[in-house]
Amino acid sequence: MSKGVLFVISGPSGTGKGTVCKELLANDDNNLFLSISSTTREKRAGETEGETYNYTTADKFKSMIENNEMLEYAVYSGNYYGTPKKTVEKMLAEGRNVILEIEPQGALKVKSILPDAVLIFIIPPSMAELKKRLVERNRETDEQIAARLEAAKWEMEQAQKYNCIVVNDELDACVGEIEEIMRGNVQKRAMVDKLLHEKY
Ligand code: ADP
Ligand code: 5GP
């Protein structure tokens, strides 16, 4: 049996990663398995232990790092987030394609360990639209949204290091473009420099 492909999806908070991944997973033809990360951040309303994340303490997270159980991890907005190695390795060995929905520090770490991983960066159509999506999602406080927009500046600068950049303007088009990439038709679209110079 041939091994599955590891797809890493990143992009600033609010760009639509979760929404896009849900659509990708809903299509059985994509043969996708979504890796569930561990995190020390608090569980939010509407989230489910073991489905959204495995929620854990900083001590337990640190012991997973020490025991070499993490494929990658990062600190984002003051919390640990990481990908447990075991399930990802098992699924790839079974021929499943695996998605990691993770931020760029971790994504670039994955690329350095597993150079065959396909890194996809989802950008918003504009930084103003990114802010609007974060505000209208109504999940974080104003302060947390400001911190996420601040983090977005560095994150957008990492986009050029990815295999592909996809704009999430119209959802179906974005999902279709990622499915094309997953079928091996890779196209790089760069609007990143333009967006980085926009005011928001
Ligand atoms: P992320 O996982 O990147 O933080 P989400 O998937 O939670 O982002 O999306 C952020 C918000 O933007 C959500 O309210 C979602 O419904 C909305 N959204 C996602 N994709 C689009 C799109 N193509 N057009 C308009 N709104 C979108
Ligand atoms: P959120 O708090 O919005 O759920 O996630 C914050 C950020 O952490 C998002 O960019 C998300 O993609 C990223 N993230 C989630 N899980 C992981 C992980 O396992 N590793 C890394 N490096 N980032 C993650």
Side-chain angles (χ1 to χ4, degrees):
M1 192 180 2
S2 59
K3 271 193 78 175
V5 180
L6 183 60
F7 295 104
V8 179
I9 295 194
S10 300
S13 182
T15 198
K17 301 179 295 296
T19 308
V20 167
C21 286
K22 208 171 149 199
E23 295 286 320
L24 292 169
L25 290 161
N27 183 350
D28 289 340
D29 291 345
N30 292 331
N31 180 32
L32 286 171
F33 172 85
L34 177 70
S35 161
I36 307 298
S37 297
S38 295
T39 184
T40 60
R41 90 143 157 72
E42 84 290 355
K43 181 151 84 69
R44 299 201 186 95
E47 295 185 344
T48 312
E49 160 71 36
E51 281 183 26
T52 320
Y53 283 107
N54 291 308
Y55 301 90
T56 189
T57 61
D59 281 348
K60 283 190 186 150
F61 198 103
K62 283 180 199 160
S63 78
M64 285 192 277
I65 298 170
E66 280 161 20
N67 294 332
N68 198 25
E69 291 172 34
M70 290 298 189
L71 177 61
E72 62 73 34
Y73 69 92
V75 175
Y76 176 91
S77 274
N79 285 301
Y80 283 103
Y81 293 80
T83 306
K85 208 186 273 183
K86 204 170 152 189
T87 313
V88 172
E89 286 176 348
K90 181 172 176 286
M91 289 297 163
L92 289 173
E94 287 177 8
R96 299 285 299 275
N97 296 333
V98 175
I99 299 190
L100 308 183
E101 192 213 303
I102 64 176
E103 56 69 59
Q105 300 170 72
L108 296 171
K109 179 80 195 302
V110 170
K111 191 73 184 168
S112 71
I113 312 167
L114 301 168
D116 289 343
V118 177
L119 267 59
I120 302 168
F121 198 97
I122 304 182
I123 59 171
S126 70
M127 297 312 267
E129 173 66 15
L130 181 69
K131 185 173 181 181
K132 182 169 176 280
R133 288 182 189 176
L134 280 171
V135 170
E136 289 179 357
R137 182 171 67 179
N138 202 19
R139 205 181 71 175
E140 286 87 15
T141 62
D142 289 352
E143 207 173 292
Q144 286 167 335
I145 288 175
R148 283 175 181 239
L149 287 170
E150 191 55 36
K153 293 179 190 169
W154 177 82
E155 291 175 327
M156 291 286 286
E157 285 167 4
Q158 310 314 306
Q160 301 288 5
K161 299 175 188 164
Y162 281 58
N163 297 95
C164 339
I165 299 168
V166 179
V167 184
N168 180 21
D169 189 354
E170 207 270 305
L171 181 63
D172 289 348
C174 175
V175 171
E177 215 172 309
I178 294 178
E179 285 176 334
E180 279 295 296
I181 292 165
M182 290 181 160
R183 287 185 212 109
N185 304 324
V186 178
Q187 239 187 14
K188 186 154 178 159
R189 283 178 53 181
M191 272 172 62
V192 175
D193 288 343
K194 176 179 169 286
L195 292 189
L196 280 173
H197 290 102
E198 257 183 44
K199 296 232 180 321
Y200 60 95

